[in-house]
Amino acid sequence: MIKYISILFFTSVLFIQAQSNLNVEKTQLQFGLPLPSILYEVGTSKNMTLSLEAIAGFELRGCTDCETNFGIYPILRGQYRYYYNMGRRLRKKKNISGNSGNYVAALIGYQHGSPLIGDLNTTNTLGVGPVYGLQRTYRKGFFYRLEGGVAYFQDDFEEGIGLVLAARIGWVIGKK
């Protein structure tokens, strides 16, 4: 069931029709670090967006007297975000460009277990849950984003509840 929900979420990005009276950006493309990522965000209503992010994840395993292995994995994350403080930021004459605001979001993420580079095989992992985040974008396109929440995780062998913590810095592509 969770696989069908994730497929529906990721494919819905292609069918969203953005409105013209938006506090959020109609569309936005971001390049992020420290793990290289690219995020595409589409405004779906006045204060809501749908985003899809592709990340190159990294994992390293090793110990004393054993071989050290590593892997670089593809990770896909999708979010449906509600920016709840855009009106207040406008009233205080604060910046909302580049979707600068605080949000709550439904998160779905998938990490493939076979590495693109490296020899450390892991399991396919799917996670779903709510997160709280804040994002700030500055004049030259520099942004930072912090997120935290809880999620239900399921891999090939286990399932359970865990924390979601994310920090990202980067640039909005095409920001003037």
Side-chain angles (χ1 to χ4, degrees), residues 9 16-17 31 35 61 63 71 79 86 90 112 114 123 126 128 154-155 160 162 169-170 172:
F9 184 86
I16 295 296
Q17 294 289 327
F31 174 72
L35 296 175
R61 283 195 197 152
C63 62
Q79 289 185 336
M86 294 300 220
L90 283 171
H112 197 276
S114 299
T123 61
L126 182 66
V128 178
Q154 179 181 23
D155 65 24
I169 60 170
V172 176

PDB file of all heavy atoms in Angstrom, residues 9 16-17 31 35 61 63 71 79 86 90 112 114 123 126 128 154-155 160 162 169-170 172:
ATOM      1  N   PHE A   9       2.176  10.020  -5.196  1.00  0.00           N
ATOM      2  CA  PHE A   9       2.727  11.306  -4.768  1.00  0.00           C
ATOM      3  C   PHE A   9       3.733  11.829  -5.782  1.00  0.00           C
ATOM      4  O   PHE A   9       3.670  12.984  -6.189  1.00  0.00           O
ATOM      5  CB  PHE A   9       3.376  11.158  -3.389  1.00  0.00           C
ATOM      6  CG  PHE A   9       3.879  12.452  -2.820  1.00  0.00           C
ATOM      7  CD1 PHE A   9       3.033  13.274  -2.105  1.00  0.00           C
ATOM      8  CD2 PHE A   9       5.193  12.842  -3.003  1.00  0.00           C
ATOM      9  CE1 PHE A   9       3.482  14.466  -1.583  1.00  0.00           C
ATOM     10  CE2 PHE A   9       5.651  14.026  -2.488  1.00  0.00           C
ATOM     11  CZ  PHE A   9       4.792  14.839  -1.773  1.00  0.00           C
ATOM     12  N   ILE A  16       0.092  19.091 -11.608  1.00  0.00           N
ATOM     13  CA  ILE A  16      -0.355  20.229 -10.811  1.00  0.00           C
ATOM     14  C   ILE A  16      -0.500  21.463 -11.701  1.00  0.00           C
ATOM     15  O   ILE A  16       0.371  21.785 -12.488  1.00  0.00           O
ATOM     16  CB  ILE A  16       0.658  20.522  -9.675  1.00  0.00           C
ATOM     17  CG1 ILE A  16       0.702  19.358  -8.703  1.00  0.00           C
ATOM     18  CG2 ILE A  16       0.350  21.810  -8.962  1.00  0.00           C
ATOM     19  CD1 ILE A  16      -0.588  19.111  -7.965  1.00  0.00           C
ATOM     20  N   GLN A  17      -1.605  22.154 -11.551  1.00  0.00           N
ATOM     21  CA  GLN A  17      -1.829  23.425 -12.224  1.00  0.00           C
ATOM     22  C   GLN A  17      -1.691  24.544 -11.202  1.00  0.00           C
ATOM     23  O   GLN A  17      -2.480  24.640 -10.271  1.00  0.00           O
ATOM     24  CB  GLN A  17      -3.244  23.473 -12.835  1.00  0.00           C
ATOM     25  CG  GLN A  17      -3.469  22.488 -13.940  1.00  0.00           C
ATOM     26  CD  GLN A  17      -2.703  22.872 -15.185  1.00  0.00           C
ATOM     27  OE1 GLN A  17      -2.509  24.036 -15.472  1.00  0.00           O
ATOM     28  NE2 GLN A  17      -2.263  21.869 -15.931  1.00  0.00           N
ATOM     29  N   PHE A  31      19.614  24.125  -6.105  1.00  0.00           N
ATOM     30  CA  PHE A  31      20.742  23.210  -6.015  1.00  0.00           C
ATOM     31  C   PHE A  31      21.232  23.267  -4.576  1.00  0.00           C
ATOM     32  O   PHE A  31      21.459  24.349  -4.048  1.00  0.00           O
ATOM     33  CB  PHE A  31      21.863  23.628  -6.971  1.00  0.00           C
ATOM     34  CG  PHE A  31      23.105  22.797  -6.805  1.00  0.00           C
ATOM     35  CD1 PHE A  31      23.138  21.476  -7.233  1.00  0.00           C
ATOM     36  CD2 PHE A  31      24.224  23.318  -6.194  1.00  0.00           C
ATOM     37  CE1 PHE A  31      24.265  20.705  -7.065  1.00  0.00           C
ATOM     38  CE2 PHE A  31      25.362  22.555  -6.026  1.00  0.00           C
ATOM     39  CZ  PHE A  31      25.381  21.247  -6.457  1.00  0.00           C
ATOM     40  N   LEU A  35      25.126  17.316   0.891  1.00  0.00           N
ATOM     41  CA  LEU A  35      24.969  16.223  -0.058  1.00  0.00           C
ATOM     42  C   LEU A  35      24.382  16.830  -1.320  1.00  0.00           C
ATOM     43  O   LEU A  35      23.365  17.522  -1.262  1.00  0.00           O
ATOM     44  CB  LEU A  35      24.021  15.155   0.492  1.00  0.00           C
ATOM     45  CG  LEU A  35      24.481  14.430   1.754  1.00  0.00           C
ATOM     46  CD1 LEU A  35      23.394  13.495   2.259  1.00  0.00           C
ATOM     47  CD2 LEU A  35      25.750  13.661   1.486  1.00  0.00           C
ATOM     48  N   ARG A  61      30.982   2.416   5.990  1.00  0.00           N
ATOM     49  CA  ARG A  61      31.036   1.425   7.061  1.00  0.00           C
ATOM     50  C   ARG A  61      32.437   0.845   7.141  1.00  0.00           C
ATOM     51  O   ARG A  61      33.026   0.503   6.135  1.00  0.00           O
ATOM     52  CB  ARG A  61      30.054   0.271   6.804  1.00  0.00           C
ATOM     53  CG  ARG A  61      28.648   0.619   7.091  1.00  0.00           C
ATOM     54  CD  ARG A  61      27.804  -0.632   7.171  1.00  0.00           C
ATOM     55  NE  ARG A  61      26.409  -0.244   7.055  1.00  0.00           N
ATOM     56  CZ  ARG A  61      25.472  -1.018   6.564  1.00  0.00           C
ATOM     57  NH1 ARG A  61      25.760  -2.221   6.144  1.00  0.00           N
ATOM     58  NH2 ARG A  61      24.232  -0.594   6.498  1.00  0.00           N
ATOM     59  N   CYS A  63      35.473  -0.822  10.380  1.00  0.00           N
ATOM     60  CA  CYS A  63      35.813  -1.071  11.778  1.00  0.00           C
ATOM     61  C   CYS A  63      37.275  -1.467  11.859  1.00  0.00           C
ATOM     62  O   CYS A  63      37.942  -1.663  10.845  1.00  0.00           O
ATOM     63  CB  CYS A  63      34.916  -2.163  12.363  1.00  0.00           C
ATOM     64  SG  CYS A  63      35.085  -3.757  11.551  1.00  0.00           S
ATOM     65  N   GLY A  71      29.319   3.747  -0.167  1.00  0.00           N
ATOM     66  CA  GLY A  71      28.368   3.773  -1.260  1.00  0.00           C
ATOM     67  C   GLY A  71      27.761   5.150  -1.426  1.00  0.00           C
ATOM     68  O   GLY A  71      27.579   5.873  -0.439  1.00  0.00           O
ATOM     69  N   GLN A  79       7.553  16.308  -0.974  1.00  0.00           N
ATOM     70  CA  GLN A  79       6.871  16.981   0.133  1.00  0.00           C
ATOM     71  C   GLN A  79       5.692  17.780  -0.393  1.00  0.00           C
ATOM     72  O   GLN A  79       5.758  18.368  -1.473  1.00  0.00           O
ATOM     73  CB  GLN A  79       7.804  17.955   0.855  1.00  0.00           C
ATOM     74  CG  GLN A  79       8.863  17.311   1.672  1.00  0.00           C
ATOM     75  CD  GLN A  79       9.668  18.342   2.460  1.00  0.00           C
ATOM     76  OE1 GLN A  79       9.745  19.503   2.086  1.00  0.00           O
ATOM     77  NE2 GLN A  79      10.261  17.912   3.549  1.00  0.00           N
ATOM     78  N   MET A  86       3.215  33.138   5.788  1.00  0.00           N
ATOM     79  CA  MET A  86       3.467  34.063   4.682  1.00  0.00           C
ATOM     80  C   MET A  86       2.724  35.386   4.855  1.00  0.00           C
ATOM     81  O   MET A  86       3.282  36.451   4.614  1.00  0.00           O
ATOM     82  CB  MET A  86       3.097  33.424   3.346  1.00  0.00           C
ATOM     83  CG  MET A  86       3.972  32.261   2.974  1.00  0.00           C
ATOM     84  SD  MET A  86       5.701  32.732   2.835  1.00  0.00           S
ATOM     85  CE  MET A  86       6.171  31.801   1.429  1.00  0.00           C
ATOM     86  N   LEU A  90       4.439  39.094   5.230  1.00  0.00           N
ATOM     87  CA  LEU A  90       4.102  40.220   4.353  1.00  0.00           C
ATOM     88  C   LEU A  90       3.690  41.451   5.159  1.00  0.00           C
ATOM     89  O   LEU A  90       4.098  42.569   4.849  1.00  0.00           O
ATOM     90  CB  LEU A  90       2.984  39.829   3.389  1.00  0.00           C
ATOM     91  CG  LEU A  90       3.391  38.964   2.203  1.00  0.00           C
ATOM     92  CD1 LEU A  90       2.166  38.460   1.458  1.00  0.00           C
ATOM     93  CD2 LEU A  90       4.310  39.730   1.267  1.00  0.00           C
ATOM     94  N   HIS A 112      17.348   3.983  -2.555  1.00  0.00           N
ATOM     95  CA  HIS A 112      17.634   2.712  -3.212  1.00  0.00           C
ATOM     96  C   HIS A 112      18.839   2.063  -2.540  1.00  0.00           C
ATOM     97  O   HIS A 112      19.786   2.745  -2.164  1.00  0.00           O
ATOM     98  CB  HIS A 112      17.911   2.945  -4.701  1.00  0.00           C
ATOM     99  CG  HIS A 112      17.807   1.704  -5.507  1.00  0.00           C
ATOM    100  ND1 HIS A 112      18.842   0.815  -5.630  1.00  0.00           N
ATOM    101  CD2 HIS A 112      16.780   1.185  -6.222  1.00  0.00           C
ATOM    102  CE1 HIS A 112      18.470  -0.191  -6.386  1.00  0.00           C
ATOM    103  NE2 HIS A 112      17.216   0.014  -6.765  1.00  0.00           N
ATOM    104  N   SER A 114      21.066  -0.209  -3.773  1.00  0.00           N
ATOM    105  CA  SER A 114      22.256  -0.478  -4.590  1.00  0.00           C
ATOM    106  C   SER A 114      22.976   0.839  -4.873  1.00  0.00           C
ATOM    107  O   SER A 114      22.359   1.790  -5.347  1.00  0.00           O
ATOM    108  CB  SER A 114      21.862  -1.122  -5.920  1.00  0.00           C
ATOM    109  OG  SER A 114      21.223  -2.356  -5.686  1.00  0.00           O
ATOM    110  N   THR A 123      19.740  -1.865   2.058  1.00  0.00           N
ATOM    111  CA  THR A 123      18.369  -2.212   1.696  1.00  0.00           C
ATOM    112  C   THR A 123      17.645  -1.001   1.124  1.00  0.00           C
ATOM    113  O   THR A 123      17.998   0.141   1.392  1.00  0.00           O
ATOM    114  CB  THR A 123      17.590  -2.718   2.925  1.00  0.00           C
ATOM    115  OG1 THR A 123      17.554  -1.671   3.897  1.00  0.00           O
ATOM    116  CG2 THR A 123      18.241  -3.944   3.522  1.00  0.00           C
ATOM    117  N   LEU A 126      11.947   3.115   2.553  1.00  0.00           N
ATOM    118  CA  LEU A 126      10.860   4.050   2.293  1.00  0.00           C
ATOM    119  C   LEU A 126      10.456   4.675   3.617  1.00  0.00           C
ATOM    120  O   LEU A 126      10.340   3.984   4.624  1.00  0.00           O
ATOM    121  CB  LEU A 126       9.668   3.309   1.681  1.00  0.00           C
ATOM    122  CG  LEU A 126       8.454   4.144   1.311  1.00  0.00           C
ATOM    123  CD1 LEU A 126       8.791   5.102   0.184  1.00  0.00           C
ATOM    124  CD2 LEU A 126       7.308   3.244   0.908  1.00  0.00           C
ATOM    125  N   VAL A 128       7.764   7.780   5.475  1.00  0.00           N
ATOM    126  CA  VAL A 128       6.613   8.667   5.319  1.00  0.00           C
ATOM    127  C   VAL A 128       6.322   9.311   6.665  1.00  0.00           C
ATOM    128  O   VAL A 128       6.299   8.618   7.679  1.00  0.00           O
ATOM    129  CB  VAL A 128       5.360   7.883   4.863  1.00  0.00           C
ATOM    130  CG1 VAL A 128       4.156   8.791   4.742  1.00  0.00           C
ATOM    131  CG2 VAL A 128       5.618   7.158   3.570  1.00  0.00           C
ATOM    132  N   GLN A 154      10.306   1.873   6.480  1.00  0.00           N
ATOM    133  CA  GLN A 154      10.188   0.459   6.138  1.00  0.00           C
ATOM    134  C   GLN A 154      11.296   0.124   5.144  1.00  0.00           C
ATOM    135  O   GLN A 154      11.474   0.825   4.148  1.00  0.00           O
ATOM    136  CB  GLN A 154       8.816   0.199   5.516  1.00  0.00           C
ATOM    137  CG  GLN A 154       8.578  -1.214   5.096  1.00  0.00           C
ATOM    138  CD  GLN A 154       7.197  -1.393   4.458  1.00  0.00           C
ATOM    139  OE1 GLN A 154       6.607  -0.444   3.966  1.00  0.00           O
ATOM    140  NE2 GLN A 154       6.721  -2.607   4.461  1.00  0.00           N
ATOM    141  N   ASP A 155      12.072  -0.929   5.446  1.00  0.00           N
ATOM    142  CA  ASP A 155      13.055  -1.412   4.477  1.00  0.00           C
ATOM    143  C   ASP A 155      12.765  -2.878   4.175  1.00  0.00           C
ATOM    144  O   ASP A 155      11.702  -3.385   4.520  1.00  0.00           O
ATOM    145  CB  ASP A 155      14.492  -1.165   4.949  1.00  0.00           C
ATOM    146  CG  ASP A 155      14.877  -1.933   6.201  1.00  0.00           C
ATOM    147  OD1 ASP A 155      14.265  -2.983   6.484  1.00  0.00           O
ATOM    148  OD2 ASP A 155      15.807  -1.490   6.893  1.00  0.00           O
ATOM    149  N   GLY A 160       9.564   0.691  11.373  1.00  0.00           N
ATOM    150  CA  GLY A 160       9.459   1.359  12.664  1.00  0.00           C
ATOM    151  C   GLY A 160       9.373   2.862  12.505  1.00  0.00           C
ATOM    152  O   GLY A 160       9.352   3.389  11.392  1.00  0.00           O
ATOM    153  N   GLY A 162      10.988   6.672  13.353  1.00  0.00           N
ATOM    154  CA  GLY A 162      12.287   7.298  13.600  1.00  0.00           C
ATOM    155  C   GLY A 162      12.230   8.797  13.370  1.00  0.00           C
ATOM    156  O   GLY A 162      11.232   9.330  12.882  1.00  0.00           O
ATOM    157  N   ILE A 169      21.907  23.824   2.550  1.00  0.00           N
ATOM    158  CA  ILE A 169      22.229  25.153   2.052  1.00  0.00           C
ATOM    159  C   ILE A 169      22.379  25.035   0.547  1.00  0.00           C
ATOM    160  O   ILE A 169      22.579  23.930   0.027  1.00  0.00           O
ATOM    161  CB  ILE A 169      23.525  25.737   2.670  1.00  0.00           C
ATOM    162  CG1 ILE A 169      24.724  24.848   2.350  1.00  0.00           C
ATOM    163  CG2 ILE A 169      23.371  25.957   4.159  1.00  0.00           C
ATOM    164  CD1 ILE A 169      26.059  25.464   2.698  1.00  0.00           C
ATOM    165  N   GLY A 170      22.280  26.154  -0.162  1.00  0.00           N
ATOM    166  CA  GLY A 170      22.443  26.081  -1.602  1.00  0.00           C
ATOM    167  C   GLY A 170      22.014  27.347  -2.293  1.00  0.00           C
ATOM    168  O   GLY A 170      21.960  28.419  -1.685  1.00  0.00           O
ATOM    169  N   VAL A 172      19.219  29.061  -5.308  1.00  0.00           N
ATOM    170  CA  VAL A 172      18.049  28.994  -6.167  1.00  0.00           C
ATOM    171  C   VAL A 172      18.516  29.313  -7.572  1.00  0.00           C
ATOM    172  O   VAL A 172      19.114  30.377  -7.813  1.00  0.00           O
ATOM    173  CB  VAL A 172      16.945  29.979  -5.704  1.00  0.00           C
ATOM    174  CG1 VAL A 172      15.787  29.969  -6.675  1.00  0.00           C
ATOM    175  CG2 VAL A 172      16.497  29.661  -4.299  1.00  0.00           C
TER     176      VAL A 172
END
